[in-house]
Amino acid sequence: AMEDVCAKFVSQKVSKARWRPLPAAALQPPDIFATGSWDNEDNRISIWSVGDLGNVGLNGEYQGEPQLLCDIRHNGDVMDMQFLDQERIVVASSTGNVTIFRHHQNNQTLSTNQRWEKAHYHVDRNASCGGAACTGVICNNPEVVTVGEDGRINLFRADQKDAVRTIDNADSSTLHAVTFLRTTEILTVNSIGQLKIWDLRQQRNEPSQIFSLTGDRVPLHCVDRHPNQQHIVATGGQDGMLSIWDIRQGTMPVSLLNAHEAEMWEVHFHHSNPDHLFTCSEDGSLWHWDTSTSVAEKPSFLHQGGRSTTYFSHNTINQSVVSAWLSNDPTKDRMEITNLIPNQTLSVNSLDILGPCLVYGTDAEAVYVNRHLFA
């Protein structure tokens, strides 16, 4: 329901939005998120509180808007951003730098905790202008993996100034995104439609496996791994298609799903509820893909004026979650797809989801929070 969404206009194009992780035993919903901006004269990393929880309307709906707690200037466009822990955020820059910022919660300030200068560079690291954009970062505290336009992969450790490992010519094309497959293995996606697995225990500088989209070599922009079924991976790319891969078999995606009408910028499985998946796009839409088996009992919320909910035919009620994502013909399985932003026009660059809460950022210089995603 759209009335659950609060917008905050931030006079910056928002390139990334991330929830601060909750402590392991926490029962409360997430309350703090970070954003990074791009394409502004002065880019910033900002920390927000979701707003005043006491501010509840007549029907129990949440009314407060996000409040800025603190911000700090960032050199270059924010290309990616991940929390390392509850206080530190790792930020990838278009300048090639990778910076860890610390959020001091006692006095609500941000400071630079550590910086790897020109982690990514084209020709010569020491050239004044040689930086190559760092396009993706993923963390598994204390480890930080970065990928870039230069086809390089770096493994850093927080609090160490030199890279633990660098694979210089990992890829001859741009690496756009990276994620952990397991603690010693990472997955990268590149600008010629390939998904590669790298085993960081191996000293070899070649991937242990290569998968690719057949034919078109469509650039892939984003990747996420199913949280429980580690062989299931989702990617999205320039053509807006959602690809689901089973890395145990074959070298091609198991299924290609028609999704957005322009580049897909991010794809995320819901961490504790992975039969739900979320994608966002340059076309101004944010889709919720639901393969949970209770679709038949759900009311269909059809927004006016647009194909917002698509039902694939329901022939089997008890399809397991796994086979729903891995079916060769997802149209046989039941999947409900809802566009959570029926009439947005500018690019939705980033989304993050934690528990019942969704945050997303757009080129319309706004960040949006929905705290009742599964209401």
Side-chain angles (χ1 to χ4, degrees):
M2 293 305 292
E3 57 275 10
D4 285 328
V5 177
C6 295
K8 177 76 179 179
F9 291 92
V10 297
S11 53
Q12 299 243 313
K13 291 183 181 175
V14 179
S15 56
K16 292 291 154 183
R18 300 284 180 250
W19 288 112
R20 182 177 77 184
L22 289 167
L27 297 171
Q28 80 274 23
D31 56 344
I32 302 283
F33 64 91
T35 58
S37 69
W38 81 287
D39 197 28
N40 308 287
E41 272 180 39
D42 189 11
N43 289 305
R44 307 195 83 76
I45 305 297
S46 308
I47 305 282
W48 306 85
S49 152
V50 291
D52 178 9
L53 286 171
N55 210 351
V56 174
L58 294 172
N59 303 322
E61 77 280 17
Y62 154 79
Q63 284 186 319
E65 65 165 28
Q67 304 293 318
L68 180 65
L69 296 178
C70 50
D71 64 356
I72 193 169
R73 195 163 168 212
H74 179 263
N75 193 6
D77 291 340
V78 173
M79 304 293 288
D80 200 4
M81 182 167 75
Q82 299 289 338
F83 275 88
L84 181 66
D85 54 28
Q86 304 230 260
E87 297 185 332
R88 291 178 295 173
I89 311 166
V90 185
V91 181
S93 171
S94 57
T95 64
N97 292 351
V98 177
T99 308
I100 303 183
F101 292 97
R102 186 180 287 275
H103 174 211
H104 304 271
Q105 293 167 45
N106 53 353
N107 61 358
Q108 293 305 342
T109 56
L110 275 163
S111 65
T112 301
N113 178 243
Q114 184 166 4
R115 176 173 295 134
W116 293 289
E117 298 275 347
K118 291 212 183 132
H120 295 273
Y121 54 93
H122 280 305
V123 184
D124 172 10
R125 189 177 207 153
N126 302 318
S128 59
C129 57
C134 177
T135 50
V137 58
I138 194 76
C139 304
N140 185 13
N141 190 7
E143 296 191 324
V144 174
V145 175
T146 70
V147 297
E149 232 172 45
D150 53 358
R152 200 172 257 108
I153 298 173
N154 292 304
L155 171 61
F156 293 108
R157 202 160 277 136
D159 309 323
Q160 290 187 17
K161 77 175 181 29
D162 294 321
V164 178
R165 171 99 191 265
T166 294
I167 306 178
D168 272 327
N169 302 308
D171 211 300
S172 54
S173 59
T174 295
L175 289 169
H176 280 140
V178 59
T179 193
F180 276 100
L181 192 53
R182 38 184 76 81
T183 47
T184 55
E185 280 186 309
I186 56 167
L187 279 168
T188 58
V189 293
N190 70 12
S191 59
I192 55 170
Q194 291 172 321
L195 178 75
K196 297 182 182 181
I197 299 180
W198 306 81
D199 185 337
L200 297 173
R201 291 165 304 190
Q202 302 285 335
Q203 284 313 302
R204 297 180 318 135
N205 290 343
E206 283 84 46
S208 51
Q209 276 179 281
I210 301 181
F211 302 82
S212 55
L213 292 170
T214 44
D216 294 345
R217 298 191 151 225
V218 174
L220 291 172
H221 289 300
C222 53
V223 58
D224 197 24
R225 185 206 81 199
H226 191 290
N228 315 335
Q229 310 280 332
Q230 297 186 339
H231 52 278
I232 302 178
V233 172
T235 63
Q238 189 165 307
D239 56 2
M241 296 276 278
L242 173 64
S243 307
I244 305 291
W245 312 69
D246 180 348
I247 60 173
R248 298 170 306 183
Q249 47 180 287
T251 55
M252 295 181 305
V254 192
S255 55
L256 290 167
L257 298 163
N258 272 311
H260 300 279
E261 286 162 13
E263 290 90 345
M264 185 189 295
W265 293 131
E266 287 194 356
V267 55
H268 293 288
F269 284 101
H270 190 287
H271 199 74
S272 52
N273 214 340
D275 42 359
H276 297 269
L277 177 112
F278 298 83
T279 58
C280 63
S281 167
E282 179 72 27
D283 68 8
S285 62
L286 191 160
W287 284 17
H288 173 189
W289 306 70
D290 179 1
T291 63
S292 65
T293 50
S294 56
V295 172
E297 296 84 66
K298 282 187 191 159
S300 132
F301 297 105
L302 284 162
H303 298 296
Q304 295 308 304
R307 45 158 201 181
S308 69
T309 304
T310 316
Y311 278 107
F312 292 139
S313 58
H314 307 167
N315 54 1
T316 44
I317 295 299
N318 287 329
Q319 277 290 342
S320 76
V321 172
V322 180
S323 62
W325 286 123
L326 290 186
S327 156
N328 291 325
D329 180 8
T331 51
K332 283 209 301 280
D333 291 318
R334 300 153 353 85
M335 194 183 296
E336 184 185 17
I337 305 169
T338 309
N339 180 6
L340 298 179
I341 319 175
N343 37 25
Q344 160 82 11
T345 52
L346 294 175
S347 179
V348 183
N349 296 322
S350 182
L351 72 96
D352 196 26
I353 174 133
L354 187 54
C357 301
L358 166 72
V359 61
Y360 60 94
T362 73
D363 273 353
E365 303 194 344
V367 62
Y368 298 83
V369 174
N370 179 342
R371 293 165 57 85
H372 305 286
L373 202 57
F374 300 109

